[in-house]
Amino acid sequence: MVAAVLKKFHGGVHPVEHKELSELCAIEPMPLPGRLVVPFHQHLGAPSEPVVKAGDKVLKGDPLGRPEGFISASVHAPTSGTVVAIQEHAVGHPSGLTMLCAIIEPDGKDAWNPQIKGVDNPLSLEPVAIRDLVKAAGIVGLGGASFPSFVKLSPPRDKVVELLLINAVECEPYLTCDARLMEERPQEVVEGIQIMLHALQTRECVIGIEENKPRAIAAMERAVAGEPRIRVLTLPVMYPQGSEKQLIEVVTGRQVPSRGLPIDIGVIVHNVATAVAVRNAVRLGQPLLSRVVTVTGHSITRPANIEVLVGTLVDDILAHCGGLRPNTPKVVMGGPMMGLALHQTDVPVVKGTSGILALTRDESSGKQEHPCIRCGNCTHACPMQLVPCTMAWFAKTDQIDQLTGVDLFDCIECGSCSYVCPANIPLVHYFRFGKLALQAKEREQRKNELNKARTQSRNERLAREKLAKERKKEEMAAKMAAKKKLDKDAATQKSDHPAAE
């Protein structure tokens, strides 16, 4: 299925990489923090339902929340200790929202639940058993999308998976956590891929890595030697090649249809870190409790790649890395192109957190916005072949109805358009506003349609009841008339034949 010649997707940009800050920093474990804040909603889909309460003692790996609905994921205790509260807490969110979280005070023992056990030979399991283990472990995509992984490992019966594509591109500037994972744990990556190939019942896998990671490429090529089903594919550097649709197009030459899914063209994509998490869930029985995070930027004292427990506060991570330099204007969760600027730093790391960036004023955007000069740079840069300037204009001027005609929801919010805009227009911000406005309008329309249907149904019911009453009245009147007629006939008969008495 892999194209003979690598394809080029439309648009894309070449932002300054800044990966030299942390690419040589080996993964180090983060010491246990004094408090963990574990959100019950760290994934796409419905939040998980709490199964613990304040005062409960938990062991490492114990469930804190169970999934609600098909698209959902469980969350687990990252360490042993006491649940001191179940309450709303600030999280990394563009609008500064709070979410329901479990606040855990560690006991310092980091004691695992002794009932957690792995499977020595995962390839002896039925595919459905692997999916159940992945679901129970609460694994979500670790590339940032945080989609529950067991769903991707459960393709519809009418779809054929021709290719498992491992996303090891890591095209966001600054981030090096995936590259370090491949350099230091290549065999764990391969074991995870073998388990996923078995779960999907497919025989071909490609690991896509950009050519600016020569050490990771060499490590993975050594690890897959002797495994004919898996190959490493070196890709040219181009942002946003790590986006699912663009990576598929580059590797296979096929395009995912608008509002479609990769499985529609026979491809399943998983992040390279997700492969390691799947391996740990099946081989070791471990839920997803930690992840590797890149801490970097010219405003952090000591750049690093750190394995941190889910729920660790950004404040604790920054302190572990020597703290922020004076007058740091911006801290970002994730990469600089698609990440979130934090309003506050007492928010927890979640499963999808790949980086914490402490940026200087020169590194951060924040330049003054000017009117659009209609240069068309954003159109050339857009990998989805959209017209960003027009989309932003409709959103900015509240022409929400017009947004449906410009394929706003095809936008992957990669930020390429904002990066090349000479007027410094924060285009992606307008797209996010437009999407929220459209979704709100669609919800209102559905609500109005539902109310209209309910009103129509009520009116029809009242009409039926009225008709039934009228018919009943008519029947009663007919019966009364018939009875009167009978009584009248009987009276007439008596008066005509009085002797009959």
Side-chain angles (χ1 to χ4, degrees):
M1 184 180 185
V2 180
V5 179
L6 290 179
K7 303 296 181 183
K8 167 74 174 67
F9 61 88
H10 182 273
V13 294
H14 287 283
V16 181
E17 294 179 359
H18 295 294
K19 291 181 184 286
E20 71 282 356
L21 293 173
S22 61
E23 63 184 354
L24 297 179
C25 299
I27 298 171
E28 59 182 276
M30 169 97 181
L32 264 180
R35 186 174 61 133
L36 291 165
V37 179
V38 186
F40 288 99
H41 194 192
Q42 306 180 39
H43 46 267
L44 288 182
S48 58
E49 180 73 18
V51 295
V52 292
K53 61 183 183 305
D56 284 354
K57 302 285 186 185
V58 291
L59 292 171
K60 187 172 185 174
D62 280 351
L64 298 177
R66 60 168 174 248
E68 284 290 305
F70 182 63
I71 308 295
S72 186
S74 54
V75 295
H76 300 80
T79 188
S80 57
T82 304
V83 179
V84 295
I86 304 291
Q87 65 183 43
E88 294 283 322
H89 192 282
V91 295
H93 193 279
S95 59
L97 285 178
T98 60
M99 286 185 184
L100 190 65
C101 300
I103 315 297
I104 297 178
E105 190 173 280
D107 59 11
K109 299 176 183 175
D110 204 30
W112 279 94
N113 182 330
Q115 295 182 347
I116 291 179
K117 290 182 172 54
V119 179
D120 291 335
N121 184 9
L123 303 187
S124 65
L125 297 174
E126 291 292 327
V128 67
I130 293 176
R131 294 167 198 150
D132 289 344
L133 290 173
V134 171
K135 181 179 182 181
I139 296 175
V140 302
L142 299 184
S146 301
F147 190 81
S149 299
F150 83 93
V151 179
K152 280 190 174 182
L153 293 175
S154 310
R157 292 180 184 275
D158 60 337
K159 304 286 186 182
V160 177
V161 181
E162 299 177 45
L163 175 69
L164 170 62
L165 184 51
I166 297 299
N167 188 347
V169 174
E170 201 170 49
C171 60
E172 276 266 12
Y174 290 95
L175 302 184
T176 57
C177 53
D178 284 354
R180 291 305 309 184
L181 199 64
M182 289 185 282
E183 290 178 46
E184 299 181 37
R185 303 173 189 174
Q187 201 55 48
E188 295 180 15
V189 174
V190 173
E191 287 180 22
I193 292 173
Q194 290 170 332
I195 293 170
M196 289 196 284
L197 282 172
H198 183 62
L200 292 168
Q201 293 290 286
T202 188
R203 296 186 59 80
E204 186 178 10
C205 173
V206 166
I207 306 171
I209 312 175
E210 285 191 339
E211 61 190 5
N212 59 354
K213 303 173 186 64
R215 291 181 300 277
I217 293 170
M220 291 311 305
E221 286 180 338
R222 286 194 297 273
V224 303
E227 173 52 276
R229 299 177 301 170
I230 308 173
R231 58 184 284 203
V232 176
L233 199 59
T234 303
L235 309 174
V237 177
M238 175 64 78
Y239 181 87
Q241 196 156 225
S243 172
E244 197 172 69
K245 292 182 178 179
Q246 278 62 47
L247 180 59
I248 291 172
E249 185 173 356
V250 169
V251 173
T252 69
R254 301 181 183 180
Q255 288 187 338
V256 179
S258 177
R259 299 217 175 191
L261 297 172
I263 188 59
D264 295 333
I265 56 172
V267 182
I268 293 289
V269 183
H270 282 281
N271 177 267
V272 66
T274 310
V276 176
V278 168
R279 177 259 183 195
N280 292 341
V282 181
R283 286 292 302 271
L284 308 178
Q286 295 179 355
L288 180 57
L289 307 179
S290 65
R291 65 155 300 139
V292 180
V293 177
T294 299
V295 186
T296 185
H298 285 92
S299 262
I300 191 73
T301 304
R302 182 177 68 87
N305 282 298
I306 306 175
E307 182 153 19
V308 300
L309 296 176
V310 169
T312 303
L313 297 179
V314 171
D315 276 336
D316 291 331
I317 294 174
L318 296 176
H320 176 70
C321 293
L324 296 173
R325 298 188 190 282
N327 302 319
T328 299
K330 193 173 188 179
V331 176
V332 175
M333 179 177 277
M337 301 294 283
M338 299 184 72
L340 302 171
L342 296 178
H343 300 283
Q344 55 195 93
T345 50
D346 62 338
V347 297
V349 164
V350 294
K351 297 173 183 178
T353 304
S354 53
I356 304 294
L357 310 184
L359 305 178
T360 62
R361 198 164 301 282
D362 289 339
E363 291 174 292
S364 59
S365 55
K367 299 174 184 175
Q368 185 178 0
E369 178 183 346
H370 298 285
C372 176
I373 59 174
R374 312 297 290 176
C375 64
N377 286 354
C378 58
T379 305
H380 295 302
C382 179
M384 298 304 294
Q385 303 187 49
L386 304 173
V387 187
C389 54
T390 303
M391 292 158 51
W393 174 252
F394 286 150
K396 187 176 182 179
T397 54
D398 280 334
Q399 299 183 66
I400 304 303
D401 290 334
Q402 301 289 339
L403 289 171
T404 56
V406 291
D407 299 321
L408 177 66
F409 283 99
D410 280 344
C411 172
I412 58 175
E413 301 180 14
C414 66
S416 296
C417 53
S418 300
Y419 182 79
V420 299
C421 179
N424 302 319
I425 300 174
L427 294 157
V428 175
H429 293 184
Y430 289 122
F431 304 155
R432 287 172 180 161
F433 166 78
K435 287 180 179 179
L436 289 173
L438 263 181
Q439 288 168 341
K441 185 173 183 180
E442 288 174 356
R443 280 196 300 272
E444 189 64 26
Q445 285 178 340
R446 285 196 296 272
K447 183 179 175 183
N448 291 337
E449 289 170 1
L450 184 60
N451 288 337
K452 184 178 178 182
R454 284 175 175 163
T455 302
Q456 185 176 355
S457 176
R458 178 177 180 275
N459 291 339
E460 290 174 354
R461 176 175 59 80
L462 292 176
R464 286 196 302 272
E465 290 175 354
K466 183 179 179 183
L467 184 61
K469 286 181 180 176
E470 290 175 351
R471 285 178 178 169
K472 195 171 181 179
K473 282 183 180 176
E474 290 174 359
E475 290 174 359
M476 289 293 293
K479 286 181 181 178
M480 291 295 293
K483 186 173 183 302
K484 285 182 178 177
K485 185 174 184 302
L486 287 174
D487 292 344
K488 185 177 179 180
D489 291 345
T492 303
Q493 196 171 19
K494 282 182 184 178
S495 62
D496 291 345
H497 304 284
E501 296 182 355

